[in-house]
Amino acid sequence: MENQQRGESRLDRVSESSRKQRDGAEFVGAFGKKTGSSDLVFLEGLLPERDGEVARREPPSRQLEICLQTLKAELDRYGKDPSDVIQLTVYLTDMDAYGEINDTYEQFFETTCPARTTVGVCELLGGAAVTVDGVIAIE
């Protein structure tokens, strides 16, 4: 009966905000930064964090800038630069902000941007408007 009611009503969201993978921005879970003996680094869930706090009051473009600064720190750790980024996935809670985050993205990569997927979501950890996953070539 419930399925019939759902089929008849129009859904406002693709996903429900009550369905969370994990609670709290501080929880890292069992997700690795590197898989096996690979020449790739997989970064997941780069939030716009400063001093352990999610910058949720900042506009999405600034939040992406903070995420990309974290990405830059990871690149530096491996002696790499933005040209070594192969792919990024940007999760965005407000798709109307796509244009402004696109400008921030292009400024960070300057010349050649890596492949990117932008995914609209209903909610992110810590109330963030943006989070980033990335794949980096390290060899």
Side-chain angles (χ1 to χ4, degrees):
M1 181 76 130
E2 184 180 328
N3 288 341
Q4 287 177 332
Q5 289 174 342
R6 281 188 177 177
E8 294 171 8
S9 66
R10 183 176 171 265
L11 295 176
D12 292 333
R13 296 181 138 163
V14 176
S15 61
E16 297 176 18
S17 61
S18 63
R19 300 185 75 186
K20 295 181 183 178
Q21 180 182 14
R22 53 191 176 180
D23 291 324
E26 68 284 345
F27 180 74
V28 178
F31 302 102
K33 300 250 186 246
K34 184 174 179 182
T35 304
S37 58
S38 174
D39 59 351
L40 301 173
V41 173
F42 298 87
L43 300 174
E44 59 86 22
L46 298 179
L47 287 165
E49 291 182 280
R50 290 184 303 207
D51 302 321
E53 295 288 324
V54 175
R56 66 178 151 268
R57 288 179 175 63
E58 297 286 346
S61 60
R62 177 67 182 127
Q63 288 190 34
L64 179 60
E65 186 179 324
I66 295 167
C67 291
L68 293 175
Q69 289 169 353
T70 303
L71 174 65
K72 177 73 170 98
E74 284 295 317
L75 290 168
D76 290 346
R77 191 172 137 214
Y78 288 97
K80 300 299 177 182
D81 61 54
S83 69
D84 295 303
V85 177
I86 297 172
Q87 194 274 338
L88 282 183
T89 303
V90 177
Y91 298 92
L92 183 62
T93 60
D94 179 7
M95 289 303 286
D96 290 337
Y98 180 84
E100 71 180 75
I101 66 131
N102 199 49
D103 292 342
T104 302
Y105 179 82
E106 288 175 355
Q107 288 173 6
F108 180 79
F109 288 102
E110 295 177 3
T111 55
T112 304
C113 296
R116 178 187 73 193
T117 301
T118 303
V119 181
V121 296
C122 63
E123 186 176 11
L124 291 168
L125 290 173
V130 176
T131 191
V132 174
D133 292 349
V135 179
I136 303 166
I138 57 172
E139 290 180 22

